[in-house]
């Protein structure tokens, strides 16, 4: 399956405006056009749905979420960033494990099973890509997905 990732991401961002607006979250994107990749559109949608869902869910009201996609050396890099309290360094290595949720989030009203990132990791791996996370406490958390471009 040939997928226009630019289109897939733009549509998702558009849909998430509905979740962002009532909470005064500024959701912006910077997506280069015609980023073509090979893969399963439903599975990849699932990956970015979860990253966007997390970004909105874990951003305080009035925060910021950005989605960037750009090509570099036959890969596309998709970065989903959000403001907020961030993720402590000791928790970062566990995020992609099944059912893992950061302690403070387990009892929160946000809900969730802790499966989203484990599923995303597996889907990205099946597409020969990578998924990583960087976080500065009380500043920004960024999830980066790289996928091979179809050349
Ligand atoms: P589910 O995705 O299954 O509904 P979930 O969102 O809790 O549940 P994951 O998406 O796997 O599960 O995320 C795992 C945990 O990582 C979250 O519970 C949260 O503690 C932390 N996390 C994920 N994304 C962020 C983020 N953008 N900012 C802060 N913490 C995050
Ligand atoms: Mg999630």
């Amino acid at each position: 399956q040939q997928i226009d990732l630019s289109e897939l991401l733009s549509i998702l961002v558009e849909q998430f405006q509905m979740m962002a607006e009532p909470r005064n979250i500024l959701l912006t994107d910077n997506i280069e056009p015609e980023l073509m990749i090979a893969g399963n559109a439903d599975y990849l949608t699932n990956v970015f749905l979860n990253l966007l869902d997390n970004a909105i869910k874990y951003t305080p009201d009035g925060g910021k979420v950005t989605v960037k996609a750009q090509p570099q050396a036959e890969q596309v890099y998709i970065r989903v960033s959000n403001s907020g309290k961030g993720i402590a360094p000791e928790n970062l290595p566990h995020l992609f494990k099944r059912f893992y949720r950061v302690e403070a989030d387990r009892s929160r009203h946000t809900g969730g099973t802790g499966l989203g990132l484990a599923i995303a990791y597996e889907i990205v791996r099946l597409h020969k890509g990578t998924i990583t996370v960087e976080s500065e406490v009380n500043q920004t958390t960024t999830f980066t997905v790289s996928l091979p471009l179809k050349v």
Side-chain angles (χ1 to χ4, degrees):
Q1 217 176 345
Q2 165 136 315
I3 303 161
D4 184 341
L5 198 65
S6 310
E7 199 180 287
L8 187 153
L9 289 170
S10 302
I11 292 169
L12 279 179
V13 170
E14 191 54 44
Q15 290 174 346
F16 271 90
Q17 292 294 354
M18 239 168 61
M19 323 287 282
E21 275 162 21
R23 296 186 43 218
N24 285 313
I25 292 171
L26 184 63
L27 170 58
T28 58
D29 65 47
N30 188 346
I31 300 167
E32 289 213 16
E34 286 172 61
L35 297 166
M36 305 306 295
I37 60 166
N40 182 300
D42 291 336
Y43 286 177
L44 289 169
T45 298
N46 190 296
V47 169
F48 297 108
L49 263 180
N50 182 57
L51 291 181
L52 270 161
D53 177 62
N54 285 350
I56 301 273
K57 192 158 71 169
Y58 299 113
T59 297
D61 289 5
K64 273 192 216 169
V65 173
T66 62
V67 178
K68 291 184 189 165
Q70 56 196 168
Q72 195 196 318
E74 307 198 348
Q75 302 274 319
V76 53
Y77 289 84
I78 305 100
R79 295 188 172 82
V80 180
S81 310
N82 69 274
S83 59
K85 67 179 165 60
I87 303 167
E90 62 267 29
N91 295 325
L92 289 175
H94 306 294
L95 290 194
F96 298 104
K97 293 179 184 167
R98 276 177 288 167
F99 303 114
Y100 182 82
R101 305 192 74 213
V102 173
E103 182 70 46
D105 295 321
R106 283 176 206 156
S107 56
R108 273 176 85 217
H109 55 90
T110 49
T113 53
L115 275 175
L117 286 175
I119 293 168
Y121 184 92
E122 201 51 31
I123 294 171
V124 170
R125 193 180 66 80
L126 288 169
H127 285 81
K128 304 192 188 329
T130 62
I131 179 167
T132 57
V133 57
E134 291 161 273
S135 189
E136 292 165 79
V137 172
N138 289 319
Q139 293 200 42
T140 315
T141 300
T142 304
F143 285 85
T144 303
V145 174
S146 79
L147 291 164
L149 280 168
K150 196 166 178 179
V151 278

